[in-house]
């Protein structure tokens, strides 16, 4: 995500709602992505959080008054507007929503918003009855039609003591939508299916065979493809991750479940990316009840699971097929063998827990555990024989590099 937002000029617009305190955390998060952040606030927002807080967090003056004397403040709303890559209006009250929808500019924030030409993300937050008021709904519809991005408020307890829709979403979710606004839509109208995570092959109701895949790589790919405008289906094994926004997420437990979900989803799709660490075998018999401990040894007979990717490769139409290979040795040989055998366009190779001899990435201190980490060091092997060694990078970033290569195909 960082490379999309890094060095961008982001303005956070803050209007007078109780959720204004959450904007401090949002500012911190956006700054952590190495973006330049400035704040424009309404007079009323200052009753909830003092502008000094935002000044200290952003390290920049906060714009609150178009008639402020001194410096170059008279034209600040124009100057800032011209140099802004995206605006996040959080929280957006019914009042500021009404002003933008109707072209009213009577304070620093509304004047600034009228002057910007970049994408504007609006995050309404208010009491449920106010949010459901016909006039507010009408204004939000106008904003959508006018090309503003709206992040719907979530349901939950509200500051006024009631419960319902109106809460400002978590800053992480707002950041995710900000990245969406900034991302080029080079996968628009593309249908992408991604698989992620491990599968579980049950031995009995309380035990299973699995692997340590966290699902982070597959989720990062699904999120990146959605940010780039694709229509994404994510088929996921059991993981502890939040489903990406605006992605159809289908859960699968066993390899068999995953096979069914994949074959149900791939019709008419353009790109299939199989990140999942699918179990190759399942117990031949699954005990209906918990197996009780006995005195001697027990034997588990394993039966082969269907190789989903192999079958997709056999029946390949015009779509692009991408596989993953986590190997403990002979990465190049094993990955290239899978690339050919499974009829893939790209295979992403990872050497798990070992250094790669014979090239300059990877040393004893930089082993690549892959599973569960936020970073990954991968090698792309292409159908035409090309190989691309990548440095250690965040999985979010690797997802975008992979999508770049897929786009180039
Ligand atoms: N894969 C699959 N179905 C399986 C096993 C693997 O679709 N039953 C896919 C994985 O999602 C991955 C690729 O095949 O994209 C390679 O998985 P991997 O386990 O490395 O390959 P295998 O063919 O199972 O080879 P091996 O386990 O012998 O290394």
């Amino acid at each position: 995500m960082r490379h999309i937002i890094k060095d961008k000029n982001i303005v956070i617009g803050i209007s007078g709602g109780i959720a204004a305190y959450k904007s401090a955390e949002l500012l911190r998060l956006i700054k952590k992505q190495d973006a330049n952040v400035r704040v424009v606030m309404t007079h009323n927002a200052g009753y909830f959080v003092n502008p000094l807080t935002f000044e200290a967090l952003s390290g920049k003056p906060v714009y609150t008054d178009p008639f402020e004397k001194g410096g170059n403040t008279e034209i600040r709303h124009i100057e800032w507007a011209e140099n802004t890559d995206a605006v996040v209006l959080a929280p957006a009250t019914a009042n500021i929503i009404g002003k933008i929808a109707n072209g009213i500019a009577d304070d620093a924030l509304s004047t600034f918003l009228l002057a910007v030409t970049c994408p504007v993300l609006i995050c309404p937050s208010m009491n449920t009855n106010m949010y459901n008021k016909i006039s507010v709904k009408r204004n939000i519809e106008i904003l959508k039609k006018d090309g503003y991005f709206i992040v719907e408020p979530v349901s939950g307890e509200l500051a006024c003591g009631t419960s319902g829709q109106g809460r400002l979403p978590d800053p992480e979710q707002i950041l995710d939508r900000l990245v969406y606004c900034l991302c080029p839509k080079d996968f628009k109208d593309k249908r992408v299916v991604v698989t992620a995570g491990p599968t579980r092959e049950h031995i009995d109701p309380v035990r299973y065979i699995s692997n340590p895949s966290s699902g982070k790589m597959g989720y990062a790919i699904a999120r990146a493809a959605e940010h780039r405008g694709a229509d994404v289906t994510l088929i996921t094994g059991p993981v502890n991750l939040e489903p990406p926004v605006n992605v159809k997420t289908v859960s699968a437990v066993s390899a068999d479940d995953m096979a069914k979900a994949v074959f149900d989803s791939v019709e008419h799709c353009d790109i299939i990316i199989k990140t999942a660490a699918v179990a190759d075998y399942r117990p031949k018999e699954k005990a209906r009840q918990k197996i009780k401990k006995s005195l001697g040894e027990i034997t588990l007979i394993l039966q082969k699971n269907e190789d989903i990717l192999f079958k997709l490769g056999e029946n390949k139409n015009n779509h692009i097929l991408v596989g993953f290979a986590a190997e403990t040795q002979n990465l190049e040989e094993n990955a290239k063998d899978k690339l050919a055998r499974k009829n893939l366009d790209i295979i992403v190779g990872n050497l798990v827990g070992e250094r790669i001899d014979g090239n300059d990435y990877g040393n004893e201190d930089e082993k690549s555990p892959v599973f569960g980490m936020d970073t990954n060091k991968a090698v792309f092997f292409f159908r035409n024989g090309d190989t691309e060694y990548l440095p250690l990078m965040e999985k979010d970033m690797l997802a975008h590099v992979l999508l770049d290569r897929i786009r180039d195909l």
Side-chain angles (χ1 to χ4, degrees):
M1 228 151 46
R2 173 169 288 121
H3 68 290
I4 306 285
I5 196 167
K6 186 173 181 288
D7 296 330
K8 292 278 192 286
N9 294 323
I10 309 296
V11 168
I12 303 181
I14 305 170
S15 57
I18 181 68
Y21 75 94
K22 288 192 184 174
S23 303
E25 177 62 11
L26 178 64
L27 193 162
R28 215 183 52 79
L29 267 184
I30 299 174
K31 266 200 86 172
K32 256 176 96 177
Q33 308 294 318
D34 297 325
N36 309 309
V37 188
R38 288 183 292 193
V39 171
V40 183
M41 341 181 16
T42 62
H43 179 75
N44 286 349
Y47 287 117
F48 293 95
V49 185
N50 194 295
L52 269 178
T53 305
F54 296 110
E55 201 161 304
L57 289 173
S58 67
K60 306 250 168 56
V62 171
Y63 180 39
T64 50
D65 180 3
F67 302 109
E68 201 182 345
K69 290 282 176 289
N72 212 9
T73 48
E74 287 82 6
I75 53 162
R76 201 179 267 179
H77 63 275
I78 302 294
E79 202 182 294
W80 283 29
E82 279 172 356
N83 294 307
T84 300
D85 295 300
V87 180
V88 192
L89 182 54
T93 56
N95 188 44
I96 191 78
I97 286 169
K99 284 186 195 175
I100 320 167
N102 293 287
I104 296 170
D106 64 354
D107 63 1
L109 183 57
S110 52
T111 313
F112 167 77
L113 286 166
L114 204 59
V116 290
T117 54
C118 63
V120 178
L121 187 69
I122 298 180
C123 311
S125 169
M126 63 198 79
N127 162 275
T128 311
N129 292 339
M130 291 169 75
Y131 183 65
N132 287 332
K133 188 67 78 185
I134 292 172
S135 53
V136 174
K137 291 271 177 220
R138 187 171 56 230
N139 284 335
I140 290 177
E141 281 313 306
I142 292 174
L143 293 179
K144 284 183 187 166
K145 276 197 205 106
D146 287 354
Y148 290 90
F149 294 86
I150 307 290
V151 181
E152 299 288 342
V154 292
S155 294
E157 273 180 32
L158 300 170
C160 50
T162 59
S163 188
Q165 193 179 10
R167 278 171 68 91
L168 191 71
D170 288 340
E172 286 80 6
Q173 286 175 36
I174 298 176
L175 174 65
D176 177 82
R177 290 301 86 193
L178 174 63
V179 173
Y180 175 86
C181 287
L182 289 165
C183 235
K185 298 292 173 276
D186 52 354
F187 278 71
K188 191 171 181 300
D189 299 329
K190 296 287 173 216
R191 290 202 57 220
V192 179
V193 173
V194 183
T195 68
T199 63
R200 285 181 187 171
E201 310 302 322
H202 271 272
I203 299 166
D204 68 14
V206 295
R207 302 180 180 98
Y208 52 79
I209 299 171
S210 192
N211 59 68
S213 169
S214 65
K216 285 181 180 173
M217 191 65 240
Y219 275 59
I221 294 170
R223 222 176 10 250
E226 191 272 333
H227 286 163
R228 293 168 74 152
D231 172 356
V232 186
T233 301
L234 172 66
I235 298 163
T236 174
V239 295
N240 271 326
L241 300 171
E242 280 291 314
V245 177
N246 204 19
V247 164
K248 184 182 172 202
T249 304
V250 181
S251 296
V253 176
S254 65
D256 198 34
D257 296 338
M258 188 167 277
K260 286 193 187 94
V262 169
F263 298 131
D264 280 351
S265 309
V266 293
E267 212 188 336
H268 308 306
C269 93
D270 302 292
I271 300 154
I272 305 169
I273 306 174
K274 285 226 70 240
T275 319
V278 185
D280 288 330
Y281 293 92
R282 64 178 181 275
K284 193 168 181 192
E285 309 278 345
K286 180 188 157 191
R288 282 175 170 272
Q289 306 299 336
K290 185 182 172 193
I291 300 171
K292 301 307 278 180
K293 187 162 55 203
S294 58
L295 287 176
E297 294 173 340
I298 61 164
T299 304
L300 208 56
I301 299 174
L302 301 178
Q303 193 171 42
K304 215 163 180 183
N305 281 329
E306 180 168 34
D307 189 323
I308 308 167
L309 193 53
F310 181 83
K311 192 157 176 204
L312 291 170
E314 261 187 335
N315 301 309
K316 200 167 163 193
N317 295 320
N318 284 330
H319 54 254
I320 288 176
L321 203 52
V322 179
F324 272 68
E327 305 290 341
T328 55
Q329 58 181 349
N330 303 330
L331 176 65
E332 181 161 349
E333 190 186 321
N334 286 326
K336 282 186 169 171
D337 170 62
K338 285 175 194 174
L339 178 86
R341 200 158 34 86
K342 303 193 186 194
N343 194 15
L344 309 179
D345 298 284
I346 305 176
I347 191 154
V348 181
N350 291 121
L351 202 63
V352 184
E354 291 273 347
R355 77 188 182 97
I356 294 179
D357 290 312
N359 66 65
D360 60 9
Y361 89 91
N363 56 52
E364 283 297 348
D365 304 326
E366 254 193 22
K367 288 181 177 177
S368 177
V370 182
F371 294 117
M373 306 291 285
D374 290 327
T375 53
N376 194 352
K377 186 187 259 190
V379 189
F380 292 165
F381 300 95
F382 296 89
R383 178 191 270 280
N384 68 1
D386 287 353
T387 301
E388 183 179 4
Y389 288 88
L390 294 149
L392 185 75
M393 62 177 81
E394 287 182 7
K395 287 180 175 172
D396 277 333
M397 173 79 181
L398 181 62
H400 278 284
V401 177
L402 178 62
L403 291 176
D404 288 347
R405 301 299 172 268
I406 292 171
R407 180 200 55 206
D408 294 346
L409 292 178

